[in-house]
Amino acid sequence: MTAPALRPPGVPAAAQPLTVADFAALARERLPADVWDFIAGGAGRERTLAANEAVFEAARLRPRALPGIEEPGTSVEVLGSRWPAPLGIAPVAYHELVHPDGESGTARAAGDLGLPLVVSTFSSRRLEEVAAAATAPLWLQVYCFRDTATTLDLARRARASGYQALVLTTDTPFTGRRLRDLRNDFRIPGHIAAANLSETAAAGAATPGAHSRHAFDRSTGWSVVARLRAESGLPVLAKGVLTARDAEAALAAGVAGIVVSNHGGRQLDGAPATLEALPEVVAAVRGRCPVLLDGGVRTGADVLVALALGARAVLVGRPALYALAADGAAGVRRMLSLLTEEFAETMVLTGHATPDAIGPDTVLPPVPPYPARSHG
Ligand SMILES: Cc1cc2nc3c(=O)[nH]c(=O)nc-3n(C[C@H](O)[C@H](O)[C@H](O)COP(=O)(O)O)c2cc1C
Ligand SMILES: CCCCCCC(=O)C(=O)O
């Protein structure tokens, strides 16, 4: 549990980010207000956005006296790969919006720690270029387009360039009603491209809400899982599952894993926080596939809470963009180091030598009312 090297020589201790919240504050200072709103914001009244973090904050951990653990082992196995910590980066669009290092920088940083990155369909770098920068597992997130050839082309390219899985986003027939973006009349700046889409498929992508409404295939059903598997030969995970019913449907369709996600509160406002939904999904899955979670994970203790309630691993979305905005690839490296370090420390303080040992008795389940959160 060596403390990560956070501070370049000459930088005062007070200036170094020590938490994800510190990275968020730096990102907010550095980014144009409408870009900050696009990233930090959610759908509707942002109730689900707020709940994701608030429910983690309300969870209480049971400490272990004299734990007798010198150095915990933090690694976990996910779909046949060993991750050094139960942590990866969720798919988020357009990393170049916040820093010119873009997805290649994020991939380098994740690779330095051996942690996985899920590359978005709306990556600002070509997925082949990201693969060339990566040294840890990459998964490709897939949206289903009305133009089926676009979707299947992504699946085939992922396989050809060494991606290990596809992550099918199941909660986005169109993007949610994001009031900040509507008020700001937000547009992706002209120099940032949806680099993996043809000119035709990307036409109009600068306005995500409008583009998703004409380009995404709303008739998509669970049969697409078999199609993606057949086309790519890759395992397919379903991202966006919050209920037992959808977990059963995903398993029946042949998924290799489930990501409990509400898209960071950007889709259905009023959907449960992911930590609230996790136990229902885990109970329905009954160990038939790994269950991951994203949404509101901001500390290593949050990672441990999610594992205690049945997640195999977690993904972080906004924290990666905040860290990239703050300091490019170096920022992402630091942020991932911090979360890993916090997780290891929390393991010791709760008396767990390995992630497998972390069970529900470690956590006093969160009880409402949850603390109010402000998202700037
Ligand atoms: C700016 C931004 C862009 C996103 N882009 C995508 C995307 O392209 N595909 C996708 O499936 N999810 C996308 N998401 C959702 C994330 O994958 C993830 O579910 C969410 O960010 C997790 O919550 P967190 O930000 O609280 O960690 C995006 C989220 C944000 C904030
Ligand atoms: C045309 C749709 C762009 C989607 C942008 C990425 C995304 O999923 C998000 O939440 O934002």
Side-chain angles (χ1 to χ4, degrees), residues 57-376:
E57 282 186 23
R60 294 291 172 266
L61 292 158
R62 290 154 64 87
R64 184 74 185 269
L66 297 178
I69 298 165
E70 188 70 43
E71 192 75 42
T74 55
S75 74
V76 288
E77 197 191 301
V78 182
L79 298 185
S81 291
R82 192 144 275 280
W83 299 3
L87 174 66
I89 299 182
V92 286
Y94 301 123
H95 290 204
E96 282 187 10
L97 250 187
V98 302
H99 197 279
D101 284 356
E103 286 81 0
S104 303
T106 308
R108 271 200 313 280
D112 287 345
L113 286 149
L115 296 174
L117 164 66
V118 189
V119 176
S120 163
T121 286
F122 286 88
S123 166
S124 46
R125 293 282 176 91
R126 284 181 60 79
L127 62 91
E128 293 81 3
E129 190 186 342
V130 183
T135 50
L138 287 179
W139 296 350
L140 182 73
Q141 175 267 329
V142 177
Y143 280 124
C144 294
F145 290 83
R146 288 190 206 276
D147 174 33
T148 316
T150 297
T151 315
L152 299 181
D153 174 60
L154 288 167
R156 282 190 294 264
R157 285 168 57 202
R159 168 62 176 247
S161 41
Y163 285 65
Q164 295 183 4
L166 299 180
V167 176
L168 171 69
T169 296
T170 62
D171 57 15
T172 309
F174 43 79
T175 59
R177 198 166 187 79
R178 301 169 187 177
L179 296 173
R180 300 194 205 200
D181 297 345
L182 292 170
R183 291 195 171 107
N184 293 333
D185 192 19
F186 179 67
R187 275 144 218 272
I188 306 292
H191 65 285
I192 312 281
N196 289 292
L197 303 182
S198 68
E199 215 171 293
T200 317
T207 47
H211 182 63
S212 67
R213 279 166 177 76
H214 76 76
F216 289 2
D217 181 5
R218 286 189 216 175
S219 72
T220 303
W222 285 105
S223 61
V224 75
V225 172
R227 189 88 200 269
L228 289 171
R229 281 176 61 184
E231 205 66 38
S232 67
L234 294 173
V236 177
L237 294 92
K239 170 177 183 280
V241 170
L242 293 168
T243 63
R245 186 180 56 182
D246 283 346
E248 286 294 356
L251 282 164
V255 300
I258 285 175
V259 185
V260 171
S261 173
N262 52 36
H263 214 108
R266 294 161 79 81
Q267 288 302 112
L268 176 64
D269 187 37
T274 49
L275 192 63
E276 290 175 308
L278 179 65
E280 174 178 330
V281 174
V282 168
V285 167
R286 286 183 278 112
R288 288 176 284 173
C289 73
V291 176
L292 281 68
L293 170 144
D294 73 25
V297 174
R298 298 293 179 268
T299 68
D302 294 344
V303 179
L304 189 132
V305 168
L307 265 61
L309 297 187
R312 177 74 57 85
V314 304
L315 305 175
V316 291
R318 292 179 183 86
L321 288 184
Y322 296 154
L324 191 66
D327 198 13
V332 178
R333 205 175 298 122
R334 284 176 212 165
M335 183 276 296
L336 292 172
S337 303
L338 274 173
L339 286 179
T340 304
E341 183 75 12
E342 288 175 353
F343 173 64
E345 288 172 0
T346 312
M347 284 182 71
V348 174
L349 294 172
T350 55
H352 297 102
T354 63
D356 289 348
I358 300 168
D361 57 341
T362 308
V363 172
L364 299 176
V367 179
Y370 304 121
R373 296 284 307 158
S374 157
H375 285 267

